[in-house]
Amino acid sequence: MEDMTLDSLAVGQRAAVAALSAPEEQRRRLLDLGFVPGGTVAAVQESPWGDPVAYAVCGAVIALRRADAGKILVRSDAL
C-alpha cells in the first residue's frame, strides 16, 4: 500500500508513521508530541466540524488540525 497522509485516516483506523514532511521547526514539534517514524497512531475522535481530529499516539491523545496532520505520512499496512 502507498503512503497516505494522517488527515485521510478515518476515525477508528490505525497506521504507522512513515515520515514527516513538515518544515524543521514544525517537524521537531511533531516528533516531541510522539509522531515518530515507525510509531503507531490511531484516529480516535473528530470534532463536530471535522477539524481538528484527536489522535492516540505514545499513550496520549493529541488534537491536530488537518493541515498539520497532512504533513505526516502514514502507512496502514505497516502494523
Side-chain angles (χ1 to χ4, degrees):
M1 177 181 230
E2 279 188 35
D3 289 345
M4 60 184 178
T5 56
L6 183 58
D7 63 326
S8 63
L9 206 63
V11 172
Q13 281 188 307
R14 292 178 22 174
V17 176
L20 303 175
S21 64
E24 185 59 30
E25 186 176 311
Q26 187 178 22
R27 184 179 184 283
R28 276 185 281 179
R29 179 181 158 265
L30 291 169
L31 288 168
D32 288 344
L33 290 172
F35 295 95
V36 294
T40 301
V41 62
V44 293
Q45 188 174 6
E46 185 177 67
S47 76
W49 300 278
D51 198 17
V53 176
Y55 299 97
V57 61
C58 289
V61 176
I62 307 292
L64 287 181
R65 292 176 291 193
R66 287 193 181 271
D68 294 331
K71 296 176 180 158
I72 301 172
L73 299 173
V74 295
R75 200 173 262 168
S76 62
D77 65 347
L79 295 178

